[in-house]
């Protein structure tokens, strides 16, 4: 079976993985960009009256994604947010203080694309209502941090790949 056609469109959430483990269902809203835009400071010269002569980057901005985790299995919550799972009844017990966890984050898209973030910081907080038309969720943010390995990018967008056929 060949790869999906690479038409440049990235869509549909297939699987999400954090620290190599698949995490559960997210809301139908999918992943949304949550980064901060680059901030610059214009530099003006007394001799130039029609605008700035240069611009300095005062903040390079950030890259982040957000999603709402709606499948709240105790082991998954422990993996993503810390805390424990009680032996007596299997209940998830959050840590006294939530600490953001770090690890690789991966998105497999239905379109065949893959997004890899080698060093991500995952944070989350409870969100949404518990009722007959909605479910409790964790509103999660995944920030792309500078990788510890030299020369590695903060994230990679990998186009659909040709599947290798194993003969046996």
């Amino acid at each position: 079976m060949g790869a999906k056609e690479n038409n440049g469109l990235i869509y549909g959430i297939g699987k999400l993985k954090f620290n190599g483990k698949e995490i559960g269902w997210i809301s139908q809203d999918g992943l949304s960009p949550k980064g901060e835009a680059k901030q610059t400071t214009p530099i003006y010269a007394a001799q130039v009256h029609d605008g700035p002569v240069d611009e300095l980057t005062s903040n390079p901005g950030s890259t982040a994604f957000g999603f709402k985790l709606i499948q709240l299995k105790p082991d998954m919550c422990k993996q993503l947010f810390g805390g424990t799972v009680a032996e007596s009844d299997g209940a998830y017990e959050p840590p006294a203080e939530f600490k953001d966890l770090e690890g690789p984050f991966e998105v497999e898209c239905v379109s065949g694309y893959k997004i890899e973030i080698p060093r991500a910081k995952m944070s989350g907080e409870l969100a949404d209502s518990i009722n007959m038309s909605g479910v409790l969720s964790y509103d999660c943010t995944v920030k792309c941090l500078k990788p510890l390995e030299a020369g590695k990018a903060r994230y990679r967008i990998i186009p659909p790949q040709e599947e290798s056929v194993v003969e046996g």
Side-chain angles (χ1 to χ4, degrees), residues 17-22 79 104:
K17 294 180 182 177
F18 182 68
N19 274 329
K21 295 179 183 172
E22 189 172 340
Q79 170 195 329

Side-chain angles (χ1 to χ4, degrees), residues 5-148:
E5 179 185 346
N6 181 5
N7 60 10
L9 301 177
I10 302 171
Y11 60 87
I13 301 297
K15 292 180 186 174
L16 296 177
K17 294 180 182 177
F18 182 68
N19 274 329
K21 295 179 183 172
E22 189 172 340
I23 62 175
W25 296 336
I26 65 171
S27 74
Q28 66 184 3
D29 299 329
L31 287 176
S32 301
K34 273 191 154 181
E36 297 173 355
K38 174 173 83 169
Q39 296 174 358
T40 60
T41 302
I43 305 299
Y44 296 93
Q47 298 88 343
V48 180
H49 303 283
D50 62 348
V53 295
D54 203 352
E55 223 175 41
L56 300 176
T57 299
S58 54
N59 180 334
S62 64
T63 302
F65 294 96
F67 63 90
K68 289 189 178 185
L69 181 68
I70 61 173
Q71 192 176 29
L72 303 180
K73 294 183 177 178
D75 285 334
M76 190 182 321
C77 290
K78 177 183 172 184
Q79 170 195 329
L80 297 176
F81 310 115
T84 59
V85 176
E87 288 186 30
S88 60
D89 60 2
Y92 170 65
E93 298 173 355
E97 290 184 36
F98 277 106
K99 294 180 182 168
D100 297 343
L101 300 180
E102 283 187 26
F105 187 77
E106 184 178 294
V107 180
E108 291 181 20
C109 299
V110 173
S111 61
Y113 276 84
K114 188 184 287 188
I115 300 170
E116 292 179 346
I117 302 170
R119 184 171 172 234
K121 184 171 271 200
M122 170 85 78
S123 62
E125 60 187 7
L126 287 173
D128 299 317
S129 300
I130 303 172
N131 55 45
M132 295 307 288
S133 61
V135 297
L136 185 66
S137 69
Y138 267 101
D139 189 1
C140 299
T141 300
V142 176
K143 295 178 183 172
C144 301
L145 300 178
K146 182 171 183 65
L148 300 175

Side-chain angles (χ1 to χ4, degrees), residues 155-166:
Y155 66 91
R156 298 178 72 217
I157 299 175
I158 304 164
Q161 302 292 303
E162 193 69 38
E163 292 181 26
S164 58
V165 177
V166 178

